[in-house]
Amino acid sequence: MKAIAAIDLREGACVQLVGGSYDAERVRVNDPLAALQQWRDVGFRHFHVVDLDAALGRGSNADVVARLTSQAPGLAFTVGGGVREAARVASLLEGGASGVVVGTRAIEDPVWLADVASRHPGRVVVAADVRGREVVTRGWTLGSGRALDEVLAALEPLPLGGLLVTAVHKEGQLEGVDLLLMRDVVSRTRHRLYASGGVTTLEDLRGLSSVGAYGAVIGMALYTGRLDAREVAREFSE
């Protein structure tokens, strides 16, 4: 399993939020490139970049995203946050992203998703952000009215690069992962699972690996020092 360092962007800075709440910011690194370099220096090679402002319609960090994904070869970036146009997907891939994460429009507009996935097979990752077992959209602010099982079944035929499943109820809490949720997802899909939300210990990561997750996104535990980044990179960065 791959350990993936989160780089969440807000107002040009790298931040960490508690529970996905825009008003509950706990960590801020003013230079996102410095955050990237910090995790790169200890051995991370995989990064998940999210434009929080774009996701919530509060602005854009497109210039910062471009600077991050143009870094040296050998690094892999998945990029998401407010990606709702096919042209933006193409632009991010051309700019160095290895995969593009689409969430709200992917859930709300299956015809659009099928078209984008067919244009870029294996490089579009669908974000299924889950609170309880309901998929939420619009930067985690709205319930979709769709159960996770229903969404997974609809995504199964598409040529996706994977599914990013975030346990919103665990995000930023430093209270562990929803292992039952992730095990259930793996059992219901052929797509790669990128698990996110609540990673706090090495045992959390080992648990996700044991249930078959392809990758795990780690944010708050890295930025607060709850996890030893070098140990994580040594065991899980491929």
Side-chain angles (χ1 to χ4, degrees), residues 1-7 35-49 68-79 96-99 194 214-218 222 229-238:
M1 188 184 73
K2 303 176 187 300
I4 305 167
I7 301 180
L36 172 67
Q37 190 62 51
Q38 177 182 359
W39 308 132
R40 183 182 177 187
D41 285 348
V42 298
F44 278 82
R45 294 294 177 265
H46 302 272
F47 300 89
H48 178 54
V49 179
L68 288 166
T69 57
S70 66
Q71 296 305 298
L75 304 181
F77 295 90
T78 53
V79 181
S98 55
Y194 294 86
Y214 177 81
V217 179
I218 315 168
L222 286 179
R230 289 186 185 277
E231 286 187 14
V232 172
R234 189 179 304 119
E235 187 167 346
F236 293 103
S237 281
E238 299 177 7

Side-chain angles (χ1 to χ4, degrees), residues 14-96:
C14 172
V15 303
Q16 285 292 296
L17 308 180
V18 178
S21 171
Y22 207 74
D23 297 322
E25 180 181 303
R26 180 169 173 186
V27 173
R28 175 172 286 244
V29 180
N30 287 325
D31 182 2
L33 289 173
L36 172 67
Q37 190 62 51
Q38 177 182 359
W39 308 132
R40 183 182 177 187
D41 285 348
V42 298
F44 278 82
R45 294 294 177 265
H46 302 272
F47 300 89
H48 178 54
V49 179
V50 179
D51 187 338
L52 296 173
D53 294 320
L56 292 169
R58 299 192 180 198
S60 172
N61 295 279
D63 56 335
V64 181
V65 172
R67 292 204 307 273
L68 288 166
T69 57
S70 66
Q71 296 305 298
L75 304 181
F77 295 90
T78 53
V79 181
V83 180
R84 295 175 185 137
E85 301 298 333
R88 180 60 175 154
V89 176
S91 175
L92 287 168
L93 292 172
E94 291 166 2

Side-chain angles (χ1 to χ4, degrees), residues 3-233:
I4 305 167
I7 301 180
D8 296 345
L9 303 174
R10 176 183 184 182
E11 301 163 345
C14 172
V15 303
Q16 285 292 296
L17 308 180
V18 178
S21 171
Y22 207 74
D23 297 322
E25 180 181 303
R26 180 169 173 186
V27 173
R28 175 172 286 244
V29 180
N30 287 325
D31 182 2
L33 289 173
L36 172 67
Q37 190 62 51
Q38 177 182 359
W39 308 132
R40 183 182 177 187
D41 285 348
V42 298
F44 278 82
R45 294 294 177 265
H46 302 272
F47 300 89
H48 178 54
V49 179
V50 179
D51 187 338
L52 296 173
D53 294 320
L56 292 169
R58 299 192 180 198
S60 172
N61 295 279
D63 56 335
V64 181
V65 172
R67 292 204 307 273
L68 288 166
T69 57
S70 66
Q71 296 305 298
L75 304 181
F77 295 90
T78 53
V79 181
V83 180
R84 295 175 185 137
E85 301 298 333
R88 180 60 175 154
V89 176
S91 175
L92 287 168
L93 292 172
E94 291 166 2
S98 55
V100 175
V101 179
V102 292
T104 295
R105 189 166 183 187
I107 300 301
E108 297 178 350
D109 189 346
V111 174
W112 176 82
L113 174 62
D115 177 62
V116 171
S118 67
R119 292 191 200 187
H120 309 285
R123 302 189 72 186
V124 174
V125 176
V126 172
D129 300 329
V130 181
R131 182 178 286 115
R133 287 298 186 270
E134 181 188 15
V135 175
V136 295
T137 59
R138 306 282 169 179
W140 303 349
T141 60
L142 292 178
S144 67
R146 300 178 68 190
L148 178 61
D149 294 355
E150 175 193 346
V151 171
L152 293 177
L155 298 176
E156 196 63 9
L158 301 179
L160 302 176
L163 305 176
L164 172 64
V165 177
T166 299
V168 176
H169 48 287
K170 291 286 190 178
E171 183 69 18
Q173 306 289 334
L174 293 177
E175 295 177 352
V177 299
D178 189 335
L179 204 57
L180 292 177
L181 168 65
M182 300 308 173
R183 180 184 288 114
D184 189 39
V185 172
V186 170
S187 73
R188 293 176 182 273
T189 182
R190 65 185 176 86
H191 297 304
R192 292 172 171 172
L193 169 63
Y194 294 86
S196 178
V199 173
T200 307
T201 67
L202 281 171
E203 288 307 311
D204 288 332
L205 291 168
R206 291 166 184 152
L208 290 171
S209 179
S210 72
V211 302
Y214 177 81
V217 179
I218 315 168
M220 190 72 78
L222 286 179
Y223 287 91
T224 60
R226 283 287 294 273
L227 270 173
D228 186 315
R230 289 186 185 277
E231 286 187 14
V232 172

